[in-house]
């Protein structure tokens, strides 16, 4: 019963979920593109050139920038989840009036968001490949390297993106779960 109610209400609020879903797909695509660029042969060649010229700190700067980007995306995902949850406050209140256990409501919200995250990561890689090739082409042209626009999926970039996205997404779920759980308890 709860699953069918949840599914029906998700359909009703599809416009808000579209924004959330497209945002998640965009986050995954950008995370993958950035990670793919960092591990690309073009950037590795650029890192070697900078190291040979005495500027070996460019790799450290890229890694620090990557951490900043991940934190920014984490904040954005958390903000979007909180926005969707606020939009669903009437629905959650209705579940409570109908006698649905508070733990079941939290589980339902967690499962829905986990589903959105899984689909976003799968679709995000497709768009991420395109964005990464555009970025790599830009860097290649900027530094006059030979372009290699082969469409490939970097295993290292996929691994980094999955780890970063899962950590950020799970922390965002925990972040929204605590206030939700507290508001459901009171």
């Amino acid at each position: 019963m709860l699953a069918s109610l949840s599914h029906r209400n998700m359909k009703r609020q599809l416009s808000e979920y579209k924004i959330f879903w497209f945002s998640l797909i965009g986050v995954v695509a950008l995370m993958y593109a950035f990670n793919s660029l960092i591990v690309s042969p073009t950037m590795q060649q650029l890192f070697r050139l900078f190291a040979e010229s005495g500027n070996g700190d460019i790799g450290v700067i890229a890694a620090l920038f990557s951490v900043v980007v991940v934190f920014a995306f984490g904040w954005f995902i958390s903000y979007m989840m909180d926005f969707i949850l606020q939009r669903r406050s009437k629905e959650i209140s209705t579940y409570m009036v109908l006698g649905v256990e508070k733990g079941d409501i939290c589980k339902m919200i967690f499962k829905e968001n986990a589903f959105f995250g899984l689909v976003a990561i799968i679709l995000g890689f497709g768009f991420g490949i395109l964005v990464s090739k555009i970025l790599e082409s830009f860097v290649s042209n900027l530094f006059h390297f030979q372009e290699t626009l082969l469409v490939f999926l970097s295993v290292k970039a996929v691994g980094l993106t999955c780890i970063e996205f899962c950590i950020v997404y799970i922390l965002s779920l925990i972040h929204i779960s605590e206030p939700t759980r507290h508001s459901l308890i009171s």
Side-chain angles (χ1 to χ4, degrees):
M1 178 181 115
L2 184 60
S4 64
L5 277 175
S6 173
H7 184 68
R8 186 172 50 132
N9 285 324
M10 276 186 2
K11 282 184 180 180
R12 286 185 187 156
Q13 298 176 0
L14 197 56
S15 62
E16 282 90 15
Y17 277 110
K18 284 180 188 175
I19 295 167
F20 180 57
W21 218 352
F22 289 136
S23 298
L24 286 178
I25 291 168
V27 164
V28 173
L30 290 173
M31 286 173 93
Y32 173 78
F34 187 74
N35 287 331
S36 178
L37 183 64
I38 287 177
V39 300
S40 72
T42 301
M43 286 302 286
Q44 295 305 312
Q45 183 180 2
L46 186 61
F47 291 157
R48 279 192 298 278
L49 287 174
F50 274 108
E52 289 171 3
S53 69
N55 296 324
D57 295 338
I58 192 76
V60 173
I61 292 169
L64 289 175
F65 183 72
S66 178
V67 169
V68 169
V69 167
V70 168
F71 276 112
F73 285 148
W75 172 83
F76 179 72
I77 289 170
S78 182
Y79 175 80
M80 288 297 294
M81 284 182 180
D82 190 48
F83 172 77
I84 292 293
L85 197 58
Q86 287 176 1
R87 300 288 296 212
R88 295 181 67 188
S89 63
K90 290 180 183 176
E91 173 191 351
I92 292 170
S93 298
T94 304
Y95 291 150
M96 291 173 62
V97 168
L98 291 173
V100 177
E101 295 291 323
K102 296 168 186 169
D104 291 338
I105 295 171
C106 288
K107 287 177 191 174
M108 175 193 67
I109 292 169
F110 183 84
K111 287 177 185 177
E112 288 172 4
N113 282 302
F115 170 75
F116 284 129
L118 180 64
V119 173
I121 204 164
I122 291 168
L123 295 176
F125 281 127
F127 291 111
I129 291 169
L130 176 66
V131 174
S132 71
K133 292 306 160 193
I134 292 169
L135 286 175
E136 189 173 355
S137 175
F138 175 75
V139 170
S140 295
N141 288 332
L142 186 66
F143 292 100
H144 305 292
F145 290 144
Q146 181 179 355
E147 289 187 48
T148 56
L149 290 178
L150 301 173
V151 176
F152 71 99
L153 192 66
S154 168
V155 175
K156 286 182 183 178
V158 168
L160 279 171
T161 303
C162 285
I163 290 168
E164 291 169 350
F165 183 77
C166 288
I167 289 171
V168 165
Y169 203 72
I170 289 169
L171 289 176
S172 296
L173 283 172
I174 291 169
H175 174 75
I176 67 159
S177 293
E178 285 306 312
T180 303
R181 188 173 294 277
H182 291 299
S183 67
L184 289 175
I185 292 171
S186 51

